[in-house]
Amino acid sequence: MTTPMALDAALAGASGRDDYPDHTYTYLFCDLLTDQLLAELPLSGVQYSTALNGIGTLRALVPYNDETLLLDPENATTPGRTAVYVDRDGVIVWGGVLWTRTIAKGGKSIQASTFESYFQRRYVRTTLSTDTSLILDTDYVPDGQRLYADQRFIVWCLFRYAAMLPGGDIRIDTSNLSGSGGATGVGRNISYFGYERPEIYAAIQSLAGAEDGFDWGIDVGWNPVANNVAPTRYRRARLWFPQRGRSADESGLVFTKGGPAGNILDFDWPEDGTSIATDETGLGAGEGEAKLIASQQSADMLASGWPLLEDVQTYPDVVDLAQLQGLANAGLNARSRASVQPWFDVVADGDPAFGSYSVGDSALFVIDPEPRMPYGLEVELRITGIDNAARRGPETVRLTCAAV
């Protein structure tokens, strides 16, 4: 583990700077349903991350001492009903649900996950469908069981359905998913059968991962302050089509290793051939010989000498063959090359600075020739994960990336 003094020296050496600002972190613990502030608690050992189309995490220690016990940390950190926000220099950079708490030296360790994780604990209990022949109440959700056909509005319906059940409204703003967000133009014929209890998070992920899918997530932040009213926070569901983020040309983001202004401290370039497929099969709804099946092969790879490498994925809620074929096509495209998920440890307060990029953005990564990369590297990659360790002084950020 790098000590703070060693980290300071490494940061100064990498970027030629030794004047990094001190950062002020505030940790807010709120009621999950009402967002009412329960306590502002100090934390130590804080690590927090965000993920593209996934779930970010937070790990930290709540110190138990004479100062913090006055704030009632036991009540303010109840797992399963507490929201946690990370404010960095006046900007909320992370928010989610506190799920676990364990006794640790000096206090209690907590683990939280971004608000998307709540919908791993929510299920469809009444059949919802775009097909009116499968439902009794043909009014649209939330008044009835009918789903809008466009994929954006299906996601809106799922969030609205979750919020309408008693105790199910955790104040997710869905305005970006409704008419103001605009249709994607991609229709889906889909049904969620209540007797199967499909998970809402998995249902959204399946839609997002299909051919012509989308990126999605739940943003957090401060609402504008007006009329001397105490500041409030938002939890905002977002959907980006066709994808989230900017290209490297649009973002202007460049990370370099080597030279006087290098801002990459360390990196790795792991490659995993076990994920490669030249033949992808998707299994949909149905049983036995009636089960929906769609397959796609990479003719180019097979013709060039690749062996037959098969992959099978199951999508039990998909009842439309065209959608299932799209999922198989998208799966093959994602698995048609070795999985490469490089990571880069970068200077948080360098240029580009933490906060000027987000998951979904693409950046140019440049590495001068060195023993690990003898020919050097210059490649555009998409940022799929951002992991930060909170410190008052200089910080490093780990960027996990994928091919554009």
Side-chain angles (χ1 to χ4, degrees), residues 129 132 137-149 156-157:
S129 180
T132 56
D137 188 340
T138 57
D139 287 341
Y140 285 104
V141 174
D143 299 318
Q145 299 171 253
R146 187 176 178 183
L147 299 172
Y148 293 94
W156 178 81
C157 286

Side-chain angles (χ1 to χ4, degrees), residues 213-378:
F214 52 83
D215 293 332
W216 74 287
I218 298 175
D219 287 348
V220 292
W222 290 110
N223 287 311
V225 179
N227 301 323
N228 296 319
V229 176
T232 57
R233 295 157 293 275
Y234 63 76
R235 311 166 183 174
R236 186 173 297 153
R238 298 286 305 277
L239 187 150
W240 296 266
F241 178 81
Q243 67 177 33
R244 178 179 186 174
R246 304 163 291 174
S247 68
D249 286 340
E250 292 170 331
S251 71
L253 297 169
V254 180
F255 296 93
T256 61
K257 190 173 194 300
N263 49 17
I264 297 176
L265 300 171
D266 197 8
F267 72 96
D268 195 9
W269 194 275
E271 298 175 88
D272 182 5
T274 64
S275 63
I276 297 176
T278 55
D279 183 294
E280 182 79 12
T281 296
L283 303 179
E287 298 292 338
E289 296 298 323
K291 180 177 284 292
L292 284 182
I293 301 176
S295 297
Q296 183 68 20
Q297 280 194 340
S298 176
D300 291 344
M301 291 180 69
L302 292 170
S304 67
W306 280 88
L308 179 63
L309 301 171
E310 296 176 293
D311 182 68
V312 178
Q313 298 292 324
T314 301
Y315 309 98
D317 300 324
V318 177
V319 297
D320 180 65
L321 183 58
Q323 183 189 355
L324 186 64
Q325 187 64 60
L327 287 165
N329 296 348
L332 181 66
N333 183 61
R335 298 176 181 87
S336 61
R337 50 190 172 291
S339 175
V340 178
Q341 286 192 313
W343 58 257
F344 303 85
D345 288 340
V346 304
V347 181
D349 293 300
D351 181 17
F354 177 70
S356 67
Y357 48 82
S358 66
V359 290
D361 282 338
S362 294
L364 185 65
F365 291 82
V366 180
I367 297 176
D368 287 350
E370 61 168 70
R372 290 185 298 168
M373 194 72 69
Y375 303 108
L377 178 74
E378 183 171 330

